[in-house]
């Protein structure tokens, strides 16, 4: 009877279970039904955490890449309102059997490696952009596309965010990405070995930007990777994405060292971004930033995949880079009249 009800009438069964919990079970065991507090991390809280991480934290990491990755993930989450599953490997994902299986081996075909569901290099577009202000040096920015959002199995709605240079190095996302890219030797151009060389590149008219391409072998490699045991200690895995449980351990350890009373989790950062965006952006843009389904999907179909809102400035409570944002949101950003129009 129980299984029959569960299979044929699941909604009625769930309603009966709910009534039993809030009724007899609540009275018998004196359950507390009040909503738990949901801590919100603002820019001041993030500054405190990052300062303690870089200057005062005495905890030991498996290797130094793990130390560098942690603040980068926090900045990434703050500037995109990301859920855990969009950045790294979730606990229920089987990394060995789903993300990195070699397929076609049993059929005699060439082996192929599936890409990870975490953020990979191909999800990050690093560009050197002509400064909208005449006479100023070129600026580096990043377009980061997040596709593995909640409900992606039902409908794919990739969202692209803009990361720009920040005057305060502790909040600058560009610095962290460049650090990891240089360590991984990820650039396609072998001559790019320093930031000075990147800023020394010339942007010749009529183009407005130069895209710095990744090696083909690096495009499907996760940016944030797991530390694994080796013969002489720990090393960074060449292809395994950072596990959420590992990140949560690092964050919980940082919480105790910093002195926070409430649990420090990735959703604290997401709530902080949501509060920063709410009230300053339109409802349609806010739903796009948070990856929420709007009650009316009419205008959602016309929204630019690139978020036309400076989420980074909203979270940091600083003025928005309107000129850079306009250039980022328009199709003409990568326009090149010199591109060939026929096949030779």
């Amino acid at each position: 009877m129980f299984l029959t009800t569960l299979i044929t009438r699941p909604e009625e069964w769930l309603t009966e279970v709910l009534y039993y919990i809030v009724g007899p079970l609540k009275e018998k065991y004196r359950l507390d039904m009040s909503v738990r507090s949901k801590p919100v991390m603002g820019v001041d809280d993030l500054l405190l955490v990052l300062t303690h991480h870089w200057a005062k934290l005495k905890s030991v990491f498996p290797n130094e890449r793990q130390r560098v990755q942690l603040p980068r993930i926090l900045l990434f989450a703050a500037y995109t309102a990301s859920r855990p599953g969009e950045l790294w490997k979730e606990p229920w994902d089987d990394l060995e059997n789903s993300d990195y299986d070699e397929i076609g081996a049993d059929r005699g075909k060439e082996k192929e490696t599936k890409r990870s569901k975490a953020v990979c290099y191909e999800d990050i577009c690093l560009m050197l952009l002509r400064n909208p202000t005449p006479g100023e040096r070129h600026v580096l920015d990043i377009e980061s596309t997040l596709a593995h959002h909640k409900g992606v199995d039902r409908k794919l709605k990739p969202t692209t965010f803009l990361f720009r240079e920040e005057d305060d190095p502790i909040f600058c996302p560009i610095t962290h990405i460049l650090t990891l890219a240089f360590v991984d030797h990820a650039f396609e151009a072998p001559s790019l070995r320093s930031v000075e060389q990147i800023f020394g590149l010339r942007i010749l008219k009529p183009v407005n930007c130069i895209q710095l391409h990744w090696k083909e072998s690096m495009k499907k490699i996760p940016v944030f990777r797991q530390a694994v045991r080796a013969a002489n200690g720990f090393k960074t895995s060449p292809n395994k994405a950072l596990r959420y449980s590992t990140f949560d351990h690092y964050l919980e350890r940082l919480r105790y060292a910093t002195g926070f009373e409430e649990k420090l989790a990735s959703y604290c950062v997401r709530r902080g971004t949501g509060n920063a965006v709410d009230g300053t952006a339109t409802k349609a843009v806010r739903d796009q930033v948070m990856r929420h389904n709007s009650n009316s999907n009419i205008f959602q179909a016309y929204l630019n995949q690139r978020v036309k809102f400076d989420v980074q400035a909203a979270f940091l409570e600083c003025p928005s880079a309107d000129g850079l944002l306009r250039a980022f949101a328009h199709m003409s950003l990568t326009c090149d009249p010199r591109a060939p129009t026929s096949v030779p």
Side-chain angles (χ1 to χ4, degrees):
M1 181 64 183
F2 175 77
L3 292 177
T4 303
T5 306
L6 177 60
I7 296 173
T8 59
R9 296 180 297 174
E11 294 182 0
E12 296 181 11
W13 178 79
L14 291 176
T15 302
E16 293 179 5
V17 171
L18 179 61
Y19 282 141
Y20 180 71
I21 293 175
V22 299
L25 211 60
K26 175 184 174 182
E27 295 178 0
K28 181 178 180 180
Y29 294 100
R30 298 180 181 179
L31 300 178
D32 184 8
M33 304 299 292
S34 60
V35 179
R36 292 185 296 178
S37 64
K38 297 181 178 180
V40 177
M41 176 178 283
V43 60
D44 295 332
D45 304 316
L46 182 60
L47 177 60
L48 176 62
V49 169
L50 294 179
T51 302
H52 197 96
H53 172 80
W54 289 118
K56 300 180 179 179
L57 188 64
K58 298 180 181 180
S59 300
V60 177
F61 289 84
N63 58 18
E64 287 306 303
R65 186 190 179 97
Q66 303 297 305
R67 188 186 303 274
V68 175
Q69 285 184 162
L70 178 57
R72 178 64 188 99
I73 295 174
L74 289 174
L75 292 178
F76 207 116
Y79 300 157
T80 62
S82 303
R83 292 184 174 91
E86 296 179 271
L87 300 182
W88 47 73
K89 174 182 174 288
E90 286 279 34
W92 50 81
D93 291 334
D94 187 349
L95 190 64
E96 302 294 339
N97 297 327
S98 63
D99 284 358
Y100 299 104
D101 281 352
E102 292 180 333
I103 60 177
D106 56 341
R107 297 187 297 273
K109 297 181 180 180
E110 183 180 356
K111 292 183 179 180
E112 178 184 354
T113 303
K114 296 181 181 179
R115 65 149 285 165
S116 170
K117 295 179 181 179
V119 173
C120 297
Y121 274 104
E122 67 178 358
D123 299 323
I124 296 176
C125 178
L126 181 61
M127 296 188 296
L128 186 65
L129 184 68
R130 189 188 304 277
N131 199 314
T133 304
E136 297 290 337
R137 70 164 176 83
H138 301 324
V139 294
L140 275 172
D141 69 12
I142 287 177
E143 291 183 9
S144 180
T145 301
L146 301 180
H148 297 282
H149 52 80
K150 185 178 180 180
V152 65
D153 295 333
R154 296 190 301 272
K155 185 177 182 181
L156 178 63
K157 295 189 298 182
T159 308
T160 303
F161 293 86
L162 170 69
F163 297 151
R164 54 181 174 79
E165 297 178 45
E166 194 63 44
D167 294 335
D168 191 342
I170 202 169
F171 288 131
C172 182
I174 309 294
T175 306
H176 292 78
I177 284 295
L178 286 178
T179 302
L180 298 177
F182 280 125
V183 170
D184 289 336
H185 303 286
F187 290 108
E188 184 180 44
S191 59
L192 288 182
R193 298 180 179 178
S194 67
V195 179
E196 289 80 3
Q197 290 177 310
I198 294 178
F199 282 114
L201 297 175
R202 298 177 60 190
I203 303 178
L204 301 177
K205 292 184 178 180
V207 300
N208 296 314
C209 71
I210 297 176
Q211 181 178 350
L212 305 178
H213 296 278
W214 309 116
K215 291 178 181 178
E216 195 66 32
S217 59
M218 293 298 299
K219 288 184 178 180
K220 299 184 184 301
I221 300 299
V223 179
F224 311 120
R225 301 201 294 278
Q226 185 75 18
V228 295
R229 291 188 179 275
N232 55 349
F234 283 89
K235 68 174 184 178
T236 301
S237 171
N239 58 5
K240 291 185 177 181
L242 182 71
R243 297 186 181 94
Y244 176 73
S245 58
T246 303
F247 171 77
D248 187 60
H249 167 68
Y250 293 156
L251 206 57
E252 187 70 3
R253 193 171 58 175
L254 184 57
R255 167 221 169 182
Y256 283 117
T258 310
F260 280 98
E261 181 181 357
E262 297 178 291
K263 179 176 175 58
L264 195 59
S266 58
Y267 264 91
C268 300
V269 187
R270 176 174 164 82
R271 294 187 197 107
T273 307
N275 280 268
V277 172
D278 188 33
T280 56
T282 63
K283 183 179 183 299
V285 172
R286 183 198 64 191
D287 291 341
Q288 182 188 25
V289 171
M290 302 302 293
R291 271 80 83 205
H292 284 167
N293 290 325
S294 176
N295 294 331
S296 174
N297 292 324
I298 298 177
F299 189 70
Q300 289 286 330
Y302 295 92
L303 276 178
N304 194 336
Q305 176 180 318
R306 295 183 172 96
V307 177
K308 197 177 178 181
F309 181 79
D310 198 340
V311 183
Q312 180 176 333
F315 184 86
L316 297 179
E317 301 176 3
C318 65
S320 174
D322 295 331
L324 185 62
L325 192 64
R326 282 196 297 269
F328 161 74
H330 290 167
M331 295 172 58
S332 59
L333 177 64
T334 56
C335 179
D336 188 355
R338 303 170 302 178
T341 58
S342 60
V343 179

